Amino acid sequence: MTDHNSPAGAVGEGQPSGQPGSFGPSQQPPREPWQGQQAPAPQQPAPQAPHAPQPQQLPSDAARAQVAAAWVRSTPRAGQAAVPSLPPRETRPQGESKKDKRERERAARKAAYEQKKAEKEQRKRGATATAAATPAPAAPLPGHRPSTPAPASSTTSSKDTGGTAPAAGAVPPGAAGPRPAAARDFDVPRPGGRIPGGGRRTHVALRATLLITACVFALGSCGVMGMVVGKSSGTTTAGLDEADATRYRLTEFPTEQAAAFAEQYAQLCMTFSPDTSSARRAELARYASAGVDPECGWSGEGAAKAVSVTWDGTAEKLPEYGDHGRYLGVQVRTDDGTLTTLTVPVYVQNLKTGDGMRVAGDVGQMPLPAAADVPEVDQRDEVVDDALSTQLQKEVLPGYFQAWGSSDATAMARFLTPDATLTATTGLSGRLTGPQVGAVVALVPASAQDTKPYAYGVGQAVQVRVTVGWSDAKGVAVSRAYRMTIVNTAQGWFIKDIRGGVLDAEGGRADSDEPGGGAATGSASPSAPASPSASAPAAPKPSKTAKPGKS
């Protein structure tokens, strides 16, 4: 291998005699001889022929070609191997600074850019490149002289080797020559470039097609979305058949307005007296049609007064009037305590507004709705704590009901838990006074039923049924039943909640002739006047049975 950094590899050093260096005579100082080696004799300059032309300073490329040719022509001596050296690498001139180097590289890049720009302009004009066309010469680099190409026909001969040096402007071996005529029919674009012939027009058409397609797709999506939103936000009516409408009592008929109209007519019909017959007849005429009995069935004798009138919730369709008419049931209680049910036919002209109502026929009296038997409540699994019931009856409940009846918040706070309900902290505001705690039934929770005696943990809640006797504002004694929630705390039993009403464990019906019902209960018939004492509920009955050892 050749060391390009050695003097033999440099231009002008180690080359055959008669070949000047490309950069002039060598500037290196003479080397000192080794120890024991004689110094070489100074070489005498070769006589030059008269009128011999001075060797011209050749360009870098030409010098490299001549050096290579000289080494090829050189014949190695006997016992020596021919080691040709490569042309030296182009080095920066000795006087070139970094700034000059940057300027030279910038000029080279600019020249390359100008050349590419010229080629692009040529493709835009649609000119076809030919083999004879030569690209624009690049700008000379700073610090270098422009090279002068040698004539194409000139050759360099050597008598020593008999070889021929290639001309400076000749195409070196292996280089691509001019393209044939068939290859000049079209130009192949650079990677990433466009085809010169019609490429820009095709690119613009493709862009326009993509843009129009995207716009059409966006408009179509907006239209579909608008139709979907508009359809979903529209007013829709639930599709119910006649059976569903009958089941849920859905109708276009203004039932509530017609029921109020029927109640007014029934009150006038059941209130009669000879002294007010003329005014009553005139009032009834304002409600009824022309063919209805103007006296509403009264014979003109006797007197009665309706004290309460209530629609019983029944409505039967009038076949003759379709959706515009109903038979409405009304319950009327008179001043003698009699409860009567009347059927009133009502016609409505305008179903939307309820205007144009008339009683379209005579009324009819019907029996009261049939009463059913109440099933018996199963209390066999209930366990009563008698000791706790007695404790609550004597120590806790009397003071609480005294404060609760008068709504004394300060006194109630002594019996309530911090999280007591609103009903437990409000009270009756003095409507009932003088509470007398009656029967108390404390039910043992399932978690404490296995202990004997019953043990309740802190925070354990117990359900209690209580009967309390009161006196109303007129001094009449009444009895009321309550369901309460009592909580065990470290300080004792406190009240958390109170609710009204207690179930009857026996069930059945009070007007039955069977044993245990009917007159034994002392309740009045629905058609008889009720006394104040009859409305008081009986004391809650304790559990029928209790588990052995736990009562």
Side-chain angles (χ1 to χ4, degrees):
M1 299 299 293
T2 303
D3 187 3
H4 293 279
N5 295 325
S6 64
V11 178
E13 295 292 338
Q15 59 185 359
S17 61
Q19 298 296 335
S22 61
F23 300 102
S26 175
Q27 301 297 331
Q28 297 181 358
R31 293 176 294 182
E32 296 294 334
W34 296 347
Q35 186 177 2
Q37 182 182 7
Q38 296 181 0
Q43 298 180 0
Q44 297 295 330
Q48 296 182 357
H51 307 288
Q54 296 294 332
Q56 297 181 359
Q57 190 73 15
L58 298 178
S60 176
D61 295 341
R64 290 166 59 90
Q66 290 185 5
V67 169
W71 277 105
V72 170
R73 290 196 304 270
S74 299
T75 303
R77 299 179 182 180
Q80 295 181 356
V83 182
S85 61
L86 296 176
R89 292 178 297 180
E90 182 179 1
T91 59
R92 186 179 63 184
Q94 295 182 357
E96 185 180 16
S97 61
K98 292 183 179 181
K99 182 178 180 181
D100 297 338
K101 180 180 178 181
R102 288 195 299 270
E103 294 294 336
R104 177 169 53 82
E105 293 175 352
R106 187 180 298 108
R109 291 194 299 269
K110 185 176 181 181
Y113 171 75
E114 295 294 339
Q115 182 178 0
K116 292 180 181 180
K117 185 176 180 181
E119 293 176 357
K120 185 176 180 180
E121 294 294 336
Q122 183 178 3
R123 288 196 300 270
K124 289 182 178 180
R125 290 193 301 267
T128 305
T130 58
T134 304
L141 300 177
H144 292 274
R145 294 185 303 173
S147 59
T148 303
S153 59
S154 61
T155 57
T156 304
S157 303
S158 175
K159 296 180 180 181
D160 297 336
T161 60
T164 304
V171 178
R179 292 183 299 174
R184 296 196 299 268
D185 293 340
F186 64 93
D187 292 339
V188 178
R190 294 176 299 123
R194 297 191 298 268
I195 300 177
R200 184 173 182 83
R201 292 189 296 271
T202 305
H203 190 63
V204 172
L206 180 60
R207 283 187 176 182
T209 303
L210 293 177
L211 181 60
I212 294 174
T213 304
C215 293
V216 171
F217 181 76
L219 292 176
S221 302
C222 293
V224 173
M225 184 62 67
M227 290 187 295
V228 172
V229 172
K231 184 177 181 180
S232 61
S233 61
T235 303
T236 58
T237 304
L240 297 176
D241 54 9
E242 186 176 356
D244 294 334
T246 304
R247 178 182 179 184
Y248 298 104
R249 297 184 179 180
L250 302 177
T251 177
E252 297 180 356
F253 185 81
T255 307
E256 295 183 358
Q257 298 178 3
F261 184 81
E263 290 175 355
Q264 298 172 10
Y265 182 79
Q267 186 171 9
L268 290 174
C269 182
M270 297 301 294
T271 301
F272 48 85
S273 173
D275 299 335
T276 59
S277 59
S278 299
R280 175 178 176 273
R281 190 182 302 108
E283 289 292 333
L284 291 173
R286 294 177 56 247
Y287 288 87
S289 59
V292 176
D293 184 4
E295 297 294 341
C296 190
W298 179 49
S299 62
E301 299 178 357
K305 181 180 180 181
V307 294
S308 66
V309 181
T310 306
W311 174 49
D312 62 1
T314 60
E316 181 184 354
K317 189 175 182 179
L318 277 171
E320 293 80 5
Y321 296 122
D323 293 337
H324 290 265
R326 292 291 187 274
Y327 289 108
L328 301 176
V330 181
Q331 291 185 355
V332 182
R333 184 176 292 277
T334 59
D335 54 356
D336 59 355
T338 304
L339 183 62
T340 305
T341 300
L342 299 180
T343 302
V344 183
V346 179
Y347 168 80
V348 180
Q349 182 180 12
N350 193 334
L351 299 179
K352 294 183 178 179
T353 62
D355 297 334
M357 291 187 182
R358 284 285 178 178
V359 175
D362 297 328
V363 299
Q365 185 168 347
M366 299 296 294
L368 294 175
D373 294 345
V374 179
E376 182 180 358
V377 178
D378 186 7
Q379 296 181 345
R380 290 176 296 179
D381 294 336
E382 293 182 352
V383 179
V384 180
D385 190 347
D386 295 334
L388 179 59
S389 300
T390 304
Q391 179 184 357
L392 295 176
Q393 183 183 20
K394 295 180 179 180
E395 300 177 4
V396 180
L397 298 180
Y400 171 73
F401 278 107
Q402 184 68 34
W404 189 67
S406 59
S407 297
D408 188 352
T410 304
M412 280 191 294
R414 298 172 47 237
F415 304 94
L416 297 174
T417 59
D419 57 344
T421 61
L422 183 61
T423 56
T425 58
T426 303
L428 299 177
S429 302
R431 293 182 177 87
L432 297 177
T433 58
Q436 299 294 327
V437 179
V440 177
V441 178
L443 303 178
V444 181
S447 59
Q449 291 181 5
D450 296 335
T451 61
K452 185 180 180 181
Y454 303 117
Y456 304 97
V458 176
Q460 179 69 59
V462 176
Q463 301 298 322
V464 179
R465 294 195 292 260
V466 185
T467 301
V468 182
W470 299 89
S471 296
D472 60 7
K474 298 180 180 180
V476 180
V478 294
S479 179
R480 299 292 181 261
Y482 302 95
R483 294 167 291 133
M484 305 182 69
T485 302
I486 312 296
V487 180
N488 183 32
T489 64
Q491 291 78 24
W493 293 94
F494 288 83
I495 299 169
K496 180 179 180 180
D497 187 22
I498 180 172
R499 298 179 183 274
V502 175
L503 288 179
D504 176 21
E506 293 185 5
R509 51 189 302 175
D511 57 350
S512 175
D513 295 336
E514 298 178 1
T521 61
S523 59
S525 174
S527 60
S531 61
S533 60
S535 61
K541 303 175 181 58
S543 300
K544 295 182 179 179
T545 60
K547 294 183 178 179
K550 295 185 180 181
S551 60

